[in-house]
Amino acid sequence: MVQIPEKTRQYYIPKLGEVKNLSIRNVDVPTAKPLEVLVKVHAVSLNYRDLLIARNQYAAGSRDGVIPCSDMAGEVVAIGEDVKKWQVGDRVTSNFTLDHIAGDITPAVQKTALGGLLDGVLSEYKVFPEHSLLRIPEYMSYQEASTLPCAAVTAWNALHGPVPLKGGDYVLVQGTGGVSVFALQIAAASGATVIATSSSDDKLLVAKQLGAKHTINYVETPDWDKEVLKITNGEGVHHIIEVGGPGTIDKSLNCIRMGGYIHVIGFLGGMGTPPDQAPLPMKVLFKSAVVRGILIGSRTQFEDMNRLFEAHQIKPVVDNVFPFDEATTAYKRLESQKHLGKIVVQVSKD
């Protein structure tokens, strides 16, 4: 019999605007309704989105008082009377968007994304709908599994979406943040040739160890797009994991191959020229390129990704693990952009 306390600690942001506003409080442990599952959260991983939400800079919206973060791994400690799929003791994670089961996302489903308008997971206990949960790969720790819902599924959706990458394809990943590192690992495991960029030679060495065949320091080589073309004999790459946004999209279009895919994930390189002033459409036209925005992925895609991870025993790259009481410090590590891979908050012991 699992002992469930009456009270739980959770973080919330009383007033959006600054990371320092992140606060902790004690509340009642929620009770699972008939089709819900109560999870004891063991680990939570952070995403750049969490930083934007805390700063009140997230375009999709949030609200004062929100419980932050979307990615967790934990243990089932209680189930609703009509739950069939899960049992007490199961190790689980949840989908980023609770109701995105399969297929394309819709505006209604998008509203069920955790940690934005809907309360997130930076809490010792959390109730989830039965359908939103997935089993953790057996070989992964809670810390490792907590990194999967946003960054890993986003990378999977990019590379194994409408036109999956093939063995021998060239894939360019920008930087060594969460999505880029997972994309590197997925592409390498799928037989693609990976080119990785970073401003740090130390991080590029790790990228090599993870499977990148070519690396480019974009500080030493500002015209990294020309170097990509050189590596690909002037043809360009099949897929680009575009995390720089307007700050890098121009160079990405220079080195995408004809008919290639640019998967737009974020805008770490800055907002750049306003969209209505940029000559982007003509560049897309003349490259016959597909520029595709990625909004994480479905539970079905998550399950498909886990099969590849299990087959190749892919281990998520965890940069740092912070105690629950030091979540604000974890945010500051994310803010520094010095991390490689994922930043994790240890909520309770594995």
Side-chain angles (χ1 to χ4, degrees), residues 52-127:
L52 294 178
I53 287 170
R55 293 171 175 170
N56 200 21
Q57 296 173 340
Y58 186 53
S62 187
R63 57 178 172 79
D64 292 339
V66 71
I67 300 169
C69 301
S70 57
D71 296 13
M72 73 91 213
E75 172 191 2
V76 174
V77 293
I79 59 174
E81 59 189 46
D82 294 332
V83 169
K84 307 297 182 186
K85 186 176 180 180
W86 305 107
Q87 296 180 348
V88 171
D90 285 343
R91 298 185 339 129
V92 296
T93 184
S94 70
N95 203 45
F96 176 94
T97 307
L98 296 177
D99 292 346
H100 193 188
I101 306 303
D104 294 333
I105 197 165
T106 66
V109 168
Q110 190 177 5
K111 291 178 181 178
T112 65
L114 290 164
L117 294 171
L118 199 66
D119 279 336
V121 299
L122 196 51
S123 178
E124 292 175 326
Y125 289 84
K126 172 76 177 174
V127 164

Side-chain angles (χ1 to χ4, degrees), residues 10 51 77 94 108 117-118 125 134 141 151 156 161 166 174 214 230 245 259 269 273 287 291 299 304 319 328 330 344:
Q10 62 184 205
L51 193 58
V77 293
S94 70
L117 294 171
L118 199 66
Y125 289 84
L134 301 91
S141 68
W156 176 265
K166 304 181 293 296
Q174 296 176 350
H214 305 278
K230 188 184 300 182
T273 305
K287 274 297 184 84
V291 180
R299 191 195 72 192
D304 291 342
D319 175 85
T328 303
V344 172

Side-chain angles (χ1 to χ4, degrees), residues 204-218:
L204 289 175
L205 181 60
V206 175
K208 279 265 191 184
Q209 295 168 350
L210 292 172
K213 187 170 183 180
H214 305 278
T215 58
I216 303 170
N217 185 315
Y218 61 76

Side-chain angles (χ1 to χ4, degrees), residues 64-331:
D64 292 339
V66 71
I67 300 169
C69 301
S70 57
D71 296 13
M72 73 91 213
E75 172 191 2
V76 174
V77 293
I79 59 174
E81 59 189 46
D82 294 332
V83 169
K84 307 297 182 186
K85 186 176 180 180
W86 305 107
Q87 296 180 348
V88 171
D90 285 343
R91 298 185 339 129
V92 296
T93 184
S94 70
N95 203 45
F96 176 94
T97 307
L98 296 177
D99 292 346
H100 193 188
I101 306 303
D104 294 333
I105 197 165
T106 66
V109 168
Q110 190 177 5
K111 291 178 181 178
T112 65
L114 290 164
L117 294 171
L118 199 66
D119 279 336
V121 299
L122 196 51
S123 178
E124 292 175 326
Y125 289 84
K126 172 76 177 174
V127 164
F128 296 90
E130 176 186 24
H131 63 257
S132 69
L133 297 175
L134 301 91
R135 201 171 304 278
I136 292 173
E138 289 187 9
Y139 70 93
M140 285 190 192
S141 68
Y142 285 114
Q143 292 177 3
E144 291 168 337
S146 75
T147 69
L148 300 178
C150 181
V153 177
T154 296
W156 176 265
N157 188 1
L159 297 176
H160 285 274
V163 180
L165 85 166
K166 304 181 293 296
D169 282 358
Y170 278 96
V171 176
L172 172 66
V173 300
Q174 296 176 350
T176 51
V179 175
S180 296
V181 169
F182 275 122
L184 192 169
Q185 293 176 291
I186 290 168
S190 301
T193 300
V194 182
I195 305 169
T197 70
S198 175
S199 62
S200 164
D201 287 337
D202 290 339
K203 290 181 178 181
L204 289 175
L205 181 60
V206 175
K208 279 265 191 184
Q209 295 168 350
L210 292 172
K213 187 170 183 180
H214 305 278
T215 58
I216 303 170
N217 185 315
Y218 61 76
V219 173
E220 297 175 359
T221 310
D223 293 332
W224 51 264
D225 50 335
K226 295 179 182 177
E227 184 65 20
V228 170
L229 288 171
K230 188 184 300 182
I231 291 169
T232 59
N233 297 314
E235 292 192 3
V237 296
H238 298 78
H239 294 268
I240 296 177
I241 301 299
E242 171 57 70
V243 300
T248 53
I249 189 72
D250 201 57
K251 289 184 182 293
S252 289
L253 278 162
N254 289 343
C255 62
I256 194 71
R257 71 183 282 123
M258 300 289 286
Y261 278 75
I262 299 176
H263 307 283
V264 180
I265 312 298
F267 43 88
L268 295 177
M271 294 303 294
T273 305
D276 59 350
Q277 298 176 26
L280 184 62
M282 293 306 293
K283 281 207 166 191
V284 174
L285 171 64
F286 284 115
K287 274 297 184 84
S288 189
V290 177
V291 180
R292 178 173 176 250
I294 309 294
L295 286 174
I296 324 300
S298 68
R299 191 195 72 192
T300 301
Q301 289 173 308
F302 200 158
E303 292 165 340
D304 291 342
M305 180 195 76
N306 280 348
R307 283 194 288 273
L308 178 81
F309 275 48
E310 289 176 313
H312 292 272
Q313 297 288 286
I314 294 174
K315 297 279 280 186
V317 177
V318 176
D319 175 85
N320 265 286
V321 179
F322 294 85
F324 188 65
D325 291 331
E326 298 179 19
T328 303
T329 307
Y331 269 75

